Amino acid sequence: MLSPATLERFWSYVNKTETCWIWTGCKSKSNTKNAKWYGHFTIGNKSYMAHRISYRLVKGPIPPKMVLDHVFPRCTNTLCVNPDHLEPVTSKENARRYFYQFDSCWRGHLFTIENTYRSPNGGRRQCRICRRMNGKRHRRRQER
């Protein structure tokens, strides 16, 4: 349990608007290609993600083997710590939601019915144009 002074310090970094609760304290980027900013809060010598602390304080513990997803499309602001905008989901579901928010591949080809490949096991979407280009590149390397 957090001390009253720590709780007061935590909530002093939260700017509550009509919809989102914006974290104004320390921020850092995630390690992903499309890096997003996340709020961090230090307790003692350890840093914690601010949205996880907020969820625990208001809603209770995060279920085991679950991560918190900023529920799309209502809130995609990773600096938001409003527990009503967070949903515990599996890592797989979180990744699926993340990739499905984009309407094109990283090279800019649209994900249309004709240009979208789905692996037989129900994996993530792939752009057919990029998939063909990668296959040709791979075959050229094999011929050398």
Side-chain angles (χ1 to χ4, degrees), residues 79-142:
L79 291 176
C80 177
V81 297
N82 185 341
D84 291 334
H85 293 192
L86 301 168
E87 178 184 10
V89 295
T90 63
S91 293
K92 185 176 182 179
E93 175 63 14
N94 193 34
R96 186 193 69 76
R97 289 178 180 182
Y98 174 76
F99 285 112
Y100 275 81
Q101 71 183 341
F102 300 109
D103 59 356
S104 62
C105 74
W106 69 275
R107 287 190 176 116
H109 306 123
L110 288 178
F111 282 125
T112 62
I113 293 173
E114 299 81 23
N115 188 42
T116 304
Y117 173 80
R118 294 183 197 281
S119 59
N121 64 357
R124 66 183 174 94
R125 302 178 295 178
Q126 290 181 305
C127 167
R128 287 185 185 272
I129 296 169
C130 292
R131 192 174 152 83
R132 260 192 308 274
M133 288 177 5
N134 291 339
K136 288 177 184 176
R137 190 178 309 122
H138 177 74
R139 284 188 293 280
R140 272 189 299 232
R141 284 188 198 135
Q142 296 299 317

